[in-house]
C-alpha cells in the first residue's frame, strides 16, 4: 500500500473511534454502554485473546534448538565463555531474556548504514531507535501503574512512590506528570521516524500507524482531562473502582472526554491480541533468544521427528563395489 | 552467462525504495541475479516433486496444477511444526532495525532484500489465509492473495538470502529471517521450484556421499594426489586410510576441499597435522561430505543427508567424529544432527588422544570441531610451530556466518591464528564475530550464473577486507568454511585485488615443524617461504 494511504486509513480509523465515543457517550447518553459494557468486553477480549494467542504459539513445538549465538560458545575451559550472549544453561538463557526484555539489548546494538561513493561503507552508531523505544515503553509502564490508583482503594504505597517520582518537577496544579509528556514525545519520534526514513515508510502498514495514533489519542485525552478539560475525578474513580470490584456504577456528570479516553483504552486492549502489539507476550517465546545453545551437550527431542528415506551404506557399496575393490578400498561383501 | 558490471558501476547503489509500493512492484529476472531452475535429473533421484525443464525467466513456470493448495497446506503444516515460524509471522513490529543489516540489501539497494520485507513476502500470505483480521481487512491489514507472481517473488528473494542470521542479531525479538527463508524454500521445493546448483549437490551427496559426485575410487585418488604434494613440499609421506574399521576417529570435512584451490591446501594441512600427532583416524568415502545441502532444501532433506555421518561412524566402529572447517556443516551438527539422527550412544565422548582433553561441549553429539581440537593441541604445547614461516602473510580472519551465529566459535580460530602467524589484524568491529558479514554466496548460491548478485552480497565483507588491506597491508583472508574458500577468491579479485584466501589449517601446516621433514623452502602453494626466495630460485635453475 502506498505510505500516504496507510497513514490516512489509520487516521480515519482513529477518527471514527473518537466520533463513536463522543456521539455515543456525549450525545446519545449511552454512558452505561461506554462506561461498563465496552470496558468489560475489552478486558475480556484482551485476556482471552492474549491467552489464546500464547496458547496458539505454544501449541507448535520448538523442534530444534536454534538460538542466535552472539558471543563465544562454551568449549575449552580456558576459553572465556560468553554466558549472556551464548547461554548453555537455562539460568543463563533467563539472564539473556531479562536483559532483552528489560533493556532491549539487541536493539541497543543497532547501527546505521552509511554508504558513500567509492564504495566506502560505514556502520554508524544509531542508538536513537533504542532510546525512543525504551523511553516509550517505560513511560507507558509508568502511566499504566499510575492509573492503578483508579482501581484500588486504599491506594498501595508503590503507586504513590511512582507518582512522586513521576511528578518530581513539582510544577503546575495539578502536578505535572512527566511520563505523559514523555510518552507523547516518544510516540511523535516513532511516528516521524516511520514517515521520514524512506525504507521504513515503504514497509509500513496501517497496522503500524493505527496503534501509534490510538495511543497518541489516549495520551492526549488523558492530558487534556488532567490539565485542561476538567472532569469530576471523584465520580470517575467511583466508576473505575466499580469496574474493578465488579460492582459497576455509572455516576452522573463525569464528562464525555472521560468516556472518550476510556473508549480508546478499551479499543487498545481489545485490539492488542490481534495485532503486532502481541510482541509483548511473544518476545518471551522467541526460540532464537530463550534457548540455551547446548545442543551438542544435551540431546533435544523433536516431537514430530519421523523416519526418512536414506541412502544406506549397503546400497552405496552395491553400486560401487567393483570400483572400490579395484581401488583397494575395504568392502563389506567381497562378492 | 551474464557479464558482471565493473566494480565502479556496480557500486552505484541507490538505497532509496522505488515509487511504487512493494506489493505492486513485480520481480524482474535479470541475468546475473537469479539461479537456474533445477533440472529434472537432479530432483528425480531424491524423489522431489514436479521434475521438469524450466527457466525462472520464463513466463510459464509449469507449476503443478494444485500448486496453490500444496503451498497453503504446506504453510499450515509448518505453522504447526515450528513455533519459530508461527511466532515470526505474528510479532514483527516493522521497526526496521534489521533493514540495513543484510548484505544483500547493502549490496543491491533492493528494498525486498531488507530482512523485514523478505519476511513480509510470506507474512502477507499468512495474513490473507491464516488470520481473521487479514481475511476481513484484506490489503488494509497487509494481506495479499497467493498468486504465481508471489511464488516468483519468493523464489527470487528466498534464493537471495543466504540464511546468514545477521538480521536476527539486531532484531529486538530475535526474529530470524533465515528461519522464514528456510521454510520458504521448503514450500518452493514442494512445487518443484528449486535452484539447480543445490538440487545437483543434493542428488550427488545422496548417491555418492559428496556434493561433487566423486565416486569412492576417485575420492581416494584425489586424496592420494595430495599425499604426493605433501611429500614434495615437506619430504614427509603421510598415510591416510579410507573406510577403515576400528579407527579411533572418523574425520569428515567438506568435499570442496578435496576438489578446488585453495581448500585443497587446507586439506593437506589436516593430513599433515594428523600425521604429525599420530592420530588414528580414517576417511570415509561414503560419508565424504561435511556440508549439507539439504539444509538449503528442507529439514527432511537435511536429515536424509546428515544420516550418513552417524551411520558410518557406527559401521566403522569409531569412538568419535572429528569435523573439518566448514560453515553450514557445523550449523547442522550443532543445531540439528543429534535431534534428527541421534542419539549417538554407540560413540564415546570425544577425548583428544594426544592431550587427554575431554570435549565436554560435545558430550552428546560426539563430534568435535577441528579448531577446538587444534586449539587444545597448541594450548598443551603438543605442536612444534614456527609462525615466522607465515611471515609473508598479513592475515585477517573472516567469521563465517554459521560458526559465528549458529554456534559461537569465535575465539578458537583466533587463538590458533595467533600461534601460527605473526601478522594478524582484525577487520572493523561491526563486521566481525556475531556481526560478521556473509561471503555473499552461502546456502548454495555459489553458482556462476549468479555472479553479479554474489559480488553485490559480498560487498560489505569485501569492503571491510579492503579497510585492513589498505591500512595494514593485509594480503590473506583466513576462514573456517569451504564455501568461503571457494567464493572469496573471485570476490577478492573483484573488490580487493591482492588478497588471497586460506583455511586456518593451511597456515597451521605451514608453521608446523614435522618430525623428519626436509628443509622446507616453500609453503603448500609452492610459494617461497619468507627468507627462502633465493634458494627457491636456485632450485628452479637447477
Ligand atoms: S528488527 Fe525484527 S521487529 Fe524490527 S522489522 Fe526487523 S524483523 Fe521486524
Ligand atoms: S538471514 Fe542474512 S541474507 Fe537472509 S535476510 Fe537475514 S541478513 Fe539477509
Amino acid at each position: 500500500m502506498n505510505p500516504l494511504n496507510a497513514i490516512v486509513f489509520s487516521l480515519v480509523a482513529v477518527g471514527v473511534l473518537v466520533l463513536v465515543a463522543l456521539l455515543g457517550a456525549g450525545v446519545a447518553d449511552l454512558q452505561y454502554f461506554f462506561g461498563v459494557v465496552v470496558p468489560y468486553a475489552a478486558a475480556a477480549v484482551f485476556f482471552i485473546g492474549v491467552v489464546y494467542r500464547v496458547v496458539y504459539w505454544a501449541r507448535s513445538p520448538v523442534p530444534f534448538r536454534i538460538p542466535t549465538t552472539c558471543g563465544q560458545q562454551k568449549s575449552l575451559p580456558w576459553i572465556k565463555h560468553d554466558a549472556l550472549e551464548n547461554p548453555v544453561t537455562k539460568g543463563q538463557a533467563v539472564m539473556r531474556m531479562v536483559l532483552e526484555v528489560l533493556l532491549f539489548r539487541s536493539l541497543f546494538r543497532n547501527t546505521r548504514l552509511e554508504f558513500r561513493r567509492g564504495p566506502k561503507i560505514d556502520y554508524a552508531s544509531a542508538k536513537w531507535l533504542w532510546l525512543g523505544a525504551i523511553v516509550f515503553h517505560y513511560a507507558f509502564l509508568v502511566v499504566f501503574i499510575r492509573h492503578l490508583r483508579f482501581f484500588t482503594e486504599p491506594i498501595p504505597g508503590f503507586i504513590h512512590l511512582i507518582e512522586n517520582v513521576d511528578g518530581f518537577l513539582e510544577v503546575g496544579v495539578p502536578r505535572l506528570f512527566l511520563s505523559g509528556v514523555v510518552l507523547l514525545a516518544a510516540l511523535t519520534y516513532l511516528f516521524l521516524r516511520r514517515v521520514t526514513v524512506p525504507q521504513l515508510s515503504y514497509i509500513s502498514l496501517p497496522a503500524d500507524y493505527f496503534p501509534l495514533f490510538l495511543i497518541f489519542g489516549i495520551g492526549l485525552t488523558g492530558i487534556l482531562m488532567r490539565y485542561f478539560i476538567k472532569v469530576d475525578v471523584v465520580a470517575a474513580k467511583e466508576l473505575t473502582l466499580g469496574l474493578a470490584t465488579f460492582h459497576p456504577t455509572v455516576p452522573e456528570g463525569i464528562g464525555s472526554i472521560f468516556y472518550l479516553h476510556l473508549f480508546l483504552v478499551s479499543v487498545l486492549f481489545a485490539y492488542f491480541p490481534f495485532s503486532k502489539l502481541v510482541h509483548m507476550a511473544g518476545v518471551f517465546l522467541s526460540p532464537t533468544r530463550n534457548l540455551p545453545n547446548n545442543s551438542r551437550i544435551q540431546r533435544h527431542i523433536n516431537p514430530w521427528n519421523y523416519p526418512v528415506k536414506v541412502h544406506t551404506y549397503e546400497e552405496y557399496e552395491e553400486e560401487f563395489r567393483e570400483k572400490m575393490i579395484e581401488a583397494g578400498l575395504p568392502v563389506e561383501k567381497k562378492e | 552467462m551474464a557479464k558482471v558490471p565493473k566494480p565502479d558501476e556496480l557500486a552505484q547503489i541507490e538505497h532509496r525504495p522505488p515509487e511504487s509500493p512493494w506489493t505492486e512492484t513485480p520481480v524482474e529476472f535479470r541475468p546475473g541475479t537469479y539461479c537456474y531452475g533445477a533440472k529434472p535429473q537432479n530432483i528425480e533421484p531424491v524423489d522431489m516433486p514436479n521434475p521438469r525443464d524450466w527457466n525462472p525467466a520464463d513466463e510459464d513456470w509449469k507449476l503443478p496444477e494444485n500448486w496453490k493448495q500444496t503451498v497453503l497446506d504446506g504453510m499450515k503444516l509448518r505453522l504447526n511444526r515450528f513455533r519459530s515460524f508461527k511466532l515470526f509471522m505474528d510479532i514483527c513490529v516493522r521497526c526496521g532495525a534489521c533493514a540495513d543489516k543484510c548484505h544483500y540489501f547493502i549490496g543491491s539497494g533492493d528494498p525486498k532484500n531488507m530482512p523485514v520485507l523478505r519476511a513480509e513476502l510470506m507474512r502477507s500470505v499468512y495474513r490473507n489465509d491464516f488470520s481473521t483480521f487479514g481475511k476481513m481487512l484484506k490489503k488494509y491489514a497487509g494481506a495479499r492473495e497467493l498468486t504465481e507472481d508471489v511464488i516468483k517473488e519468493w523464489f527470487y528473494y528466498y534464493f537471495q538470502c543466504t540464511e546468514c542470521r545477521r538480521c536476527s542479531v539486531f532484531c529486538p525479538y530475535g526474529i530470524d529471517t533465515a528461519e522464514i527463508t528456510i521454510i520458504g524454500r521448503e514450500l518452493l521445493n514442494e512445487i518443484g521450484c528449486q535452484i539447480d546448483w543445490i538440487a545437483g549437490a543434493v542428488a550427488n551427496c545422496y548417491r555418492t556421499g559428496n556434493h561433487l559426485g566423486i565416486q569412492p575410487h576417485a575420492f581416494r585418488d584425489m586424496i592420494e594426489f595430495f599425499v604426493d604434494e605433501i611429500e614434495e613440499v615437506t619430504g614427509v609421506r603421510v598415510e591416510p586410510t579410507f573406510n577403515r574399521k576400528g579407527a579411533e576417529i572418523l574425520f569428515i570435512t567438506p568435499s570442496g576441499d578435496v576438489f578446488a584451490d585453495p581448500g585443497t591446501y587446507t586439506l593437506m594441512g589436516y593430513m599433515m597435522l594428523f600425521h604429525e600427532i599420530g592420530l588414528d583416524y580414517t576417511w570415509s568415502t561414503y560419508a565424504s561430505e561435511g556440508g549439507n545441502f539439504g539444509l538449503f532444501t528442507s529439514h527432511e532433506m537435511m536429515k536424509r543427508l546428515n544420516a550418513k555421518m552417524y551411520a558410518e561412524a557406527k559401521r566403522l566402529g569409531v569412538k568419535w567424529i572429528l569435523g573439518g572447517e566448514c560453515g553450514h556443516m557445523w550449523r547442522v551438527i550443532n543445531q540439528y544432527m543429534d535431534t534428527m539422527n541421534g542419539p549417538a550412544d554407540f560413540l564415546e565422548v570425544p577425548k583428544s588422544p594426544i592431550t587427554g582433553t575431554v570435549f565436554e561441549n560435545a558430550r552428546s553429539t560426539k563430534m568435535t570441531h577441528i579448531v577446538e581440537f587444534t586449539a587444545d593441541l597448541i594450548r598443551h604445547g603438543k605442536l612444534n610451530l614456527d609462525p615466522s614461516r607465515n611471515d609473508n602473510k598479513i592475515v585477517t580472519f573472516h567469521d563465517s556466518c554459521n560458526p559465528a551465529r549458529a554456534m559461537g566459535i569465535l575465539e578458537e580460530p583466533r587463538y590458533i591464528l595467533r600461534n601460527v602467524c605473526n601478522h594478524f589484524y582484525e577487520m572493523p568491529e561491526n563486521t566481525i564475530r556475531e556481526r560478521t558479514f556473509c561471503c555473499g554466496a552461502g546456502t548454495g548460491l555459489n553458482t556462476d550464473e549468479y555472479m553479479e548478485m554474489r559480488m553485490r552480497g559480498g560487498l560489505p565483507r569485501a569492503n571491510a577486507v579492503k579497510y585492513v588491506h589498505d591500512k595494514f597491508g593485509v594480503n590473506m583472508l583466513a576462514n573456517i568454511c569451504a564455501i568461503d574458500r571457494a567464493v572469496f577468491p573471485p570476490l577478492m579479485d573483484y573488490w580487493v585485488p591482492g588478497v588471497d584466501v586460506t583455511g586456518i589449517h593451511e597456515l597451521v601446516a605451514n608453521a608446523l615443524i614435522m618430525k623428519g621433514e626436509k628443509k622446507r623452502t616453500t609453503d603448500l602453494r609452492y610459494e617461497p617461504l619468507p627468507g627462502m626466495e633465493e634458494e627457491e630460485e636456485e632450485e628452479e635453475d637447477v
Side-chain angles (χ1 to χ4, degrees), chain A residues 2 32 37-38 42 69 72 79 100 110-111 113 120 149 154 227-228 246 284 295 303 322 335:
Chain A
N2 119 8
Y32 191 81
V37 178
V38 169
T69 59
Q72 171 61 35
I79 293 180
E100 195 64 82
N110 195 26
T111 55
L113 169 72
K120 199 179 154 340
R149 72 152 38 242
Y227 306 103
F228 302 103
F246 295 100
F284 292 94
S295 27
E322 267 170 43
E335 219 75 45

Side-chain angles (χ1 to χ4, degrees), chain B residues 92-98 116 171-173 175:
Chain B
C92 171
V93 297
R94 284 167 298 279
C95 70
C98 58
V116 47
C171 173
Y173 319 118
I175 293 178

